[in-house]
Amino acid sequence: MKNKKLLAILIFAFVIFVVALPTVCVFIPYKDPILIDERFNVLYNDDSGRLEIWGEVKNPTVCKINKLIFDVSLFDIYGDEIYSENVEVEIELKAGDTQAFSQDLNYIVNLNNDALYSFSVYNFEYEYNTLYAWVWYVFGFGTFGLFALLFKKIRISFQVEGHKVDIYATETRAVLVVDGKVFKELKLASRSSIEKRSFRIKERILKIELKYGYMYPDINVWVDGKEPSFAKITQHSFLKIPKKQQNATTANTATNK
């Protein structure tokens, strides 16, 4: 029995999980972190006796930022540069977070001239962690594999001479249910084995062929040599496969042939 709906779902899922989403993740443009200028300042550090550069940075990217690198210049009251330094700040800034940072400068402070200083920060660089392109595709393929495992059980329903027939199947097992009662259970002894059974429902001959499905159930059904019109096909991993009922009264409905 060919489940065209399942095939369409799996193809769609493959395109989304293995092709589209990883490709989008690979080519997402990197956004520069945002320095919050109004919170940026240079202060005197009483503990170290030096000037301290302090500020906040917001990380709008999907990466983790490990280091913030920038230049800072100090100016006197006339606007002349009196000191510059390249500053490196170790941070642990996760995606979407905002974090304050501070770093002592090497400039020796003259407390009598604090009021003379102004400052400027520029040439910002960031060191961040990102994933190699192939990692995104591995994640995508793994996600597709987990999604595909949801379809390991199937139930097909159809009518034969006014009787409702349900067949539940997994990779190695099938259960025939007629009018809500379990009639027969088929099991495969090995991957190479094939189970073929025939049953009579009134004047109709129902044939079931079960093969090892490797990933999904592989079951074929014929009524008088033709594939029946299935009223419903349900396929997902949460189906409850009924167990063989003891002393079930099915002789009037179906019989082994």
Side-chain angles (χ1 to χ4, degrees):
M1 185 200 70
K2 302 297 182 182
N3 191 337
K4 295 181 179 179
K5 183 178 179 181
L6 173 61
L7 182 61
I9 291 174
L10 292 178
I11 291 175
F12 178 77
F14 183 87
V15 171
I16 294 297
F17 292 124
V18 182
V19 180
L21 289 180
T23 302
V24 169
C25 291
V26 168
F27 289 101
I28 287 178
Y30 179 79
K31 297 180 180 179
D32 287 335
I34 301 171
L35 285 167
I36 305 176
D37 295 334
E38 61 270 18
R39 302 299 302 277
F40 219 95
N41 206 349
V42 172
L43 306 170
Y44 177 71
N45 190 327
D46 293 327
D47 295 329
S48 66
R50 300 179 183 275
L51 289 181
E52 176 185 59
I53 187 79
W54 184 94
E56 282 188 337
V57 61
K58 180 179 180 180
N59 180 11
T61 74
V62 296
C63 308
K64 178 184 177 182
I65 299 175
N66 299 315
K67 184 181 290 186
L68 174 63
I69 306 170
F70 59 90
D71 290 323
V72 58
S73 292
L74 303 178
F75 302 90
D76 62 18
I77 196 170
Y78 303 105
D80 296 326
E81 183 180 87
I82 58 176
Y83 180 75
S84 66
E85 182 179 332
N86 182 260
V87 180
E88 294 188 6
V89 182
E90 300 289 340
I91 57 177
E92 296 289 333
L93 187 54
K94 298 180 180 179
D97 287 351
T98 299
Q99 181 178 320
F101 63 89
S102 63
Q103 183 77 16
D104 283 346
L105 302 180
N106 293 322
Y107 184 69
I108 299 176
V109 178
N110 184 345
L111 292 178
N112 294 326
N113 295 325
D114 277 348
L116 301 180
Y117 299 133
S118 61
F119 69 93
S120 176
V121 290
Y122 51 95
N123 293 338
F124 289 98
E125 297 180 8
Y126 306 89
E127 290 186 3
Y128 57 92
N129 290 342
T130 187
L131 297 176
Y132 292 107
W134 62 267
V135 176
W136 290 110
Y137 291 98
V138 169
F139 283 162
F141 194 83
T143 302
F144 169 75
L146 292 176
F147 177 80
L149 292 177
L150 294 175
F151 300 92
K152 292 178 68 67
K153 298 177 183 178
I154 190 172
R155 180 184 68 191
I156 54 178
S157 303
F158 53 98
Q159 294 281 333
V160 177
E161 292 291 332
H163 296 284
K164 182 183 178 182
V165 178
D166 294 295
I167 298 177
Y168 295 78
T170 65
E171 298 172 51
T172 59
R173 178 173 167 234
V175 176
L176 172 63
V177 179
V178 181
D179 292 334
K181 297 179 180 180
V182 176
F183 177 68
K184 192 67 177 179
E185 181 176 325
L186 290 72
K187 288 185 177 180
L188 295 177
S190 65
R191 293 190 176 189
S192 59
S193 62
I194 300 176
E195 277 286 308
K196 295 182 180 180
R197 297 292 180 90
S198 296
F199 307 93
R200 183 184 296 276
I201 300 180
K202 288 190 175 179
E203 301 302 320
R204 304 288 186 179
I205 302 300
L206 170 65
K207 292 184 178 181
I208 301 175
E209 180 186 76
L210 177 65
K211 301 178 183 178
Y212 188 83
Y214 291 95
M215 183 174 290
Y216 309 111
D218 186 357
I219 187 164
N220 295 291
V221 181
W222 299 274
V223 176
D224 289 343
K226 297 181 180 180
E227 186 177 274
S229 297
F230 299 111
K232 187 175 182 181
I233 299 176
T234 305
Q235 189 162 9
H236 54 74
S237 63
F238 305 105
L239 280 172
K240 185 177 180 181
I241 307 297
K243 296 182 179 180
K244 182 71 167 66
Q245 296 175 357
Q246 298 296 323
N247 300 321
T249 305
T250 57
N252 292 332
T253 302
T255 57
N256 287 312
K257 181 180 182 298

